[in-house]
Amino acid sequence: MDIEVVTDEIIPDFTFTSNSACFNIPDTIQYSGEPYIDGTTLTWDIGNGVILDNQDSILVISWPEAGFYDISLELDDNVCRTGSTIQTIEKIGLSISSPDSYNLWLGESIDLGVSVSGANSDLTYLWEPTDGLSCTDCENPSASPTEDTTYTVTITDENGCTSSTQITIELQFERNLYVPNAFTPNNDGVNDIFLAYGGAIKEFQLIIYDRWGEEVFVSNDINVGWDGEYKSEALAPGVYMFYTSVVYLNGDTDFKKGNITLIR
């Protein structure tokens, strides 16, 4: 005697719980159909979504980007009932594009520009860390860090959707302290002032001594040099000694000492 197996179709309903309309906020999907027997197989298809937690009848899912997603579920109790259902959802959000990194000379600055798509103009910005930034809540801050720094910007739209990206600034640094060995303070407008030269300097000191070791000049500003006078009187031509020390913006230090010839 032939036995006919009758397969019933079942609609495997499921409930989609959205914690937010934003794509970067995980959502929950839960089977909500009729009770099923042990051994039943639930097969989920969420496209290119990522399953963060799978408890068979309950899934926690994240989405890679804004857009439309088809979620389908197939049920098979391996006896006589099968079925499938599908839902289409839309996730919104914003995406950020920017350079990954910049190379910057120590002491210079650069604007950290980012481009945002998928959002309106009502955006808020948060830049971290704050060191070296001209502003932390603006779209395009100017950055002048004193060490290699990775900045993170988090952008939020009016729907509460957020997105973040990072920009790394790698500093180029060169010790460039230079001290000449002679000057001619004769008021002809040429080489009248003894100056040290250098860039990206945070702290500076220059001290001049005469041949007997008496201090005749001190400057704590690299732009303020010696005019060859001491106590408002012109000193005699000859060899003097200098000592200069600097602290660069990144905290490195340097110093030079030697002789300088005063020529009149």
Side-chain angles (χ1 to χ4, degrees), residues 34-137:
E34 300 177 22
Y36 51 81
I37 63 175
D38 291 341
T40 298
T41 301
L42 298 177
T43 304
W44 297 92
D45 186 350
I46 59 170
N48 61 343
V50 178
I51 297 176
L52 303 178
D53 186 22
N54 185 355
Q55 301 181 31
D56 199 24
S57 63
I58 303 176
L59 301 182
V60 179
I61 301 171
S62 68
W63 312 99
E65 59 187 356
F68 291 91
Y69 293 89
D70 292 331
I71 304 173
S72 65
L73 172 62
E74 294 184 1
L75 181 149
D76 187 349
D77 67 6
N78 296 305
V79 178
C80 60
R81 297 200 302 173
T82 63
S84 64
T85 190
I86 187 170
Q87 291 186 33
T88 300
I89 64 168
E90 180 184 8
K91 303 300 292 184
I92 63 174
L94 55 114
S95 59
I96 307 173
S97 60
S98 67
D100 293 330
S101 63
Y102 291 102
N103 290 321
L104 187 69
W105 284 102
L106 179 64
E108 295 183 347
S109 62
I110 192 169
D111 292 338
L112 300 179
V114 295
S115 298
V116 183
S117 60
N120 54 35
S121 59
D122 188 14
L123 303 173
T124 61
Y125 296 81
L126 177 62
W127 291 87
E128 297 176 303
T130 61
D131 298 341
L133 292 182
S134 61
C135 57
T136 59
D137 58 357

Side-chain angles (χ1 to χ4, degrees), residues 138-206:
C138 58
E139 178 181 358
N140 189 26
S142 176
S144 53
T146 57
E147 60 184 358
D148 291 351
T149 303
T150 297
Y151 291 104
T152 299
V153 58
T154 301
I155 304 176
T156 305
D157 68 13
E158 64 179 4
N159 298 307
C161 298
T162 64
S163 187
S164 299
T165 192
Q166 292 184 324
I167 302 174
T168 297
I169 294 184
E170 298 177 350
L171 291 180
Q172 296 177 305
F173 173 70
E174 181 180 1
R175 294 179 181 270
N176 57 354
L177 178 63
Y178 169 72
V179 182
N181 59 13
F183 75 124
T184 57
N186 52 15
N187 297 318
D188 65 353
V190 180
N191 200 25
D192 285 329
I193 303 296
F194 175 71
L195 288 165
Y197 300 91
I201 292 174
K202 179 170 61 175
E203 298 177 14
F204 171 84
Q205 185 176 64
L206 171 66

Side-chain angles (χ1 to χ4, degrees), residues 194 206-210 214-217 226 240-242:
F194 175 71
L206 171 66
I207 304 175
I208 307 295
Y209 301 92
D210 64 19
E214 183 177 2
E215 184 180 289
V216 297
F217 178 77
W226 184 37
Y240 295 79
M241 293 168 287
F242 74 85

